[in-house]
Amino acid sequence: MEIKEKRLSKKGTFKFSDLPKINFSHINSLTDDTGIIQHAIFNIPNRKEGYCIDDNSRALLLSVLACKYKPDKLIVQLLQVYLSFIHYMQTENGEFKNFMTYTKVAAEERGSEDSFGRTIMALGFLINEGPSNLLSKTATSIFSKAYCHIDRLVSVRGIANAVIGVCQVVKYNYPDDTKRDLVIKLSDKMISMYRANKTEDWHWFEPVLAYDNAILPLALLNAYEITGDEGYLNTAFEAMEFLESKVLHDGMLSPIGNNGWCERGKKTFAKFDQQGIDAMAMILFYQQAYRITSDSEHLSKMYVCYQWFIGKNDLGLSLYDPLTGGCADGLHRKEINLNQGAESTLAYWISHMIVAFELQP
């Protein structure tokens, strides 16, 4: 299967007509009655790898966004599948298992903090922006059972994703002083991490730039929106300026590579393998930054990041495949990874929805 290069015009700005048509065929083929299968062999589901709550949470978020943008019967049905998977994977004490085999065995006691945080984020969006009251109530029930574990998180990405989810719930129940206090507690943890790792030439929350990076400053933008704390806003933009210095060059996104990442104190860092979730996180950040500041420069950067998926990248190749509706799993040094797994495909379509919201006539 060949993913053809799509070259973009150097003239003019990015327009709604530049967006590929919506095609959820691959999302649908990866999804069965249980949930979305996490990996693919080219464009067929790799059932040997089973399911994970990470991807089903991303799929739930996409479904919420798609219902807002252009609701139809299929996307509502898919949303219910992903929500049901999350409900099944919740343990009696409110935590979540992450992995399930294709034979429906979920042997873990609990999943990672990152997967927990992503689940909280997706549930928050469904609670606040879901297509029906019944679905929001179901999400609220799952969220409430997990709530007692949120303030115990120590993973910075788990915290960041959870902050975004809790902020969505605060918006739904505004004002909600109890959950607002939790946002402050979690955000202050992130600020402490930032201060502990910051040096004169390193403005970041960890001693490494790894994956899904822009989710961290995005969380602080969400916290600012809820609390009005200028410290969260200033730290978010300072950290993002540092991230941009590493990944945005000459009007093109070049995400930190997964093959080694970027470590503090080292002069070089990995340029490949680039992952779609990093572009998606940047897009989510710029959307929120624009909503807060009304500065159109954030939209310009958002479009640049989106175009990474469709050919404006280090290889000049499109990762998005309009024939299948899937997205390649990564950008390697000389080629793209032709497998169209759930994570990359969901990252593309979430990014597409966000950009479409801002560009639609």
Side-chain angles (χ1 to χ4, degrees):
M1 181 183 61
E2 179 183 6
I3 296 182
K4 295 182 180 179
E5 177 180 351
K6 176 178 178 179
R7 298 195 179 277
L8 301 171
S9 171
K10 294 182 179 180
K11 297 181 179 180
T13 58
F14 195 68
K15 304 180 295 297
F16 185 81
S17 59
D18 292 321
L19 287 171
K21 293 182 180 180
I22 291 177
N23 178 6
F24 290 152
S25 296
H26 190 53
I27 296 287
N28 195 37
S29 70
L30 288 175
T31 304
D32 59 20
D33 291 341
T34 299
I36 192 165
I37 293 169
Q38 62 177 329
H39 293 303
I41 305 168
F42 299 124
N43 69 321
I44 68 165
N46 185 350
R47 289 175 167 82
K48 292 182 179 181
E49 300 293 339
Y51 318 82
C52 68
I53 204 168
D54 271 320
D55 288 334
N56 278 272
S57 294
R58 292 186 183 101
L60 181 64
L61 174 59
L62 170 61
S63 301
V64 172
L65 296 175
C67 284
K68 283 182 59 183
Y69 180 70
K70 196 174 183 180
D72 61 34
K73 184 177 180 181
L74 171 61
I75 201 65
V76 173
Q77 290 174 341
L78 291 176
L79 189 158
Q80 292 173 333
V81 170
Y82 307 137
L83 183 60
S84 179
F85 181 88
I86 290 169
H87 173 261
Y88 182 81
M89 296 295 276
Q90 187 167 41
T91 64
E92 286 301 314
N93 73 351
E95 296 179 300
F96 299 99
K97 298 180 180 181
N98 189 8
F99 297 106
M100 176 191 282
T101 67
Y102 187 66
T103 56
K104 298 181 176 58
V105 175
E108 294 174 299
E109 182 179 343
R110 60 181 175 274
S112 68
E113 288 196 1
D114 286 11
S115 66
F116 179 93
R118 290 187 190 100
T119 306
I120 293 298
M121 176 178 170
L123 290 170
F125 273 93
L126 178 54
I127 291 167
N128 188 35
E129 301 182 345
S132 79
N133 187 48
L134 288 178
L135 289 169
S136 293
K137 282 183 175 296
T138 303
T140 299
S141 175
I142 299 169
F143 178 93
S144 297
K145 191 173 181 180
Y147 184 79
C148 63
H149 300 287
I150 297 176
D151 70 349
R152 304 172 192 170
L153 294 170
V154 296
S155 159
V156 67
R157 283 167 186 77
I159 292 170
N161 281 280
V163 165
I164 298 167
V166 176
C167 285
Q168 290 294 317
V169 178
V170 173
K171 291 180 184 179
Y172 181 74
N173 289 317
Y174 192 85
D176 187 328
D177 291 340
T178 300
K179 292 184 179 61
R180 180 180 179 275
D181 289 344
L182 177 58
V183 168
I184 293 171
K185 181 177 181 180
L186 294 173
S187 301
D188 286 349
K189 280 186 182 181
M190 293 187 66
I191 294 294
S192 294
M193 293 177 185
Y194 185 80
R195 290 172 177 167
N197 286 285
K198 180 182 176 182
T199 64
E200 183 178 352
D201 58 356
W202 186 266
H203 297 172
W204 199 244
F205 305 83
E206 303 175 289
V208 60
L209 282 167
Y211 61 94
D212 220 4
N213 292 305
I215 286 291
L216 309 186
L218 171 62
L220 293 182
L221 285 190
N222 277 264
Y224 167 76
E225 185 181 19
I226 294 300
T227 66
D229 188 322
E230 295 282 345
Y232 299 152
L233 182 70
N234 294 335
T235 301
F237 281 124
E238 182 178 81
M240 196 61 183
E241 183 179 5
F242 173 73
L243 178 60
E244 288 172 347
S245 73
K246 303 293 185 182
V247 302
L248 285 180
H249 305 289
D250 300 320
M252 188 181 78
L253 175 66
S254 183
I256 300 295
N258 196 39
N259 188 23
W261 296 331
C262 175
E263 296 182 28
R264 185 178 59 198
K266 290 189 176 181
K267 294 182 179 180
T268 60
F269 58 89
K271 191 170 183 178
F272 301 98
D273 305 320
Q274 298 173 17
Q275 305 289 307
I277 57 171
D278 287 291
M280 179 191 76
M282 301 279 285
I283 288 164
L284 289 169
F285 175 90
Y286 289 127
Q287 181 198 39
Q288 181 69 4
Y290 174 69
R291 288 180 173 179
I292 288 173
T293 67
S294 298
D295 184 347
S296 60
E297 180 65 20
H298 296 304
L299 290 184
S300 297
K301 291 177 181 178
M302 183 176 76
Y303 303 145
V304 167
C305 293
Y306 170 79
Q307 289 172 79
W308 177 87
F309 286 104
I310 57 173
K312 193 175 181 181
N313 53 50
D314 287 295
L315 297 187
L317 298 174
S318 178
L319 285 86
Y320 173 66
D321 181 355
L323 296 178
T324 65
C327 181
D329 277 350
L331 195 69
H332 299 319
R333 184 171 299 277
K334 295 182 179 180
E335 60 188 1
I336 58 177
N337 183 335
L338 290 174
N339 294 326
Q340 298 178 356
E343 179 184 282
S344 55
T345 299
L346 292 165
Y348 170 73
W349 282 112
I350 290 170
S351 300
H352 181 109
M353 290 293 109
I354 296 299
V355 172
F357 284 136
E358 301 301 337
L359 284 176
Q360 62 184 331

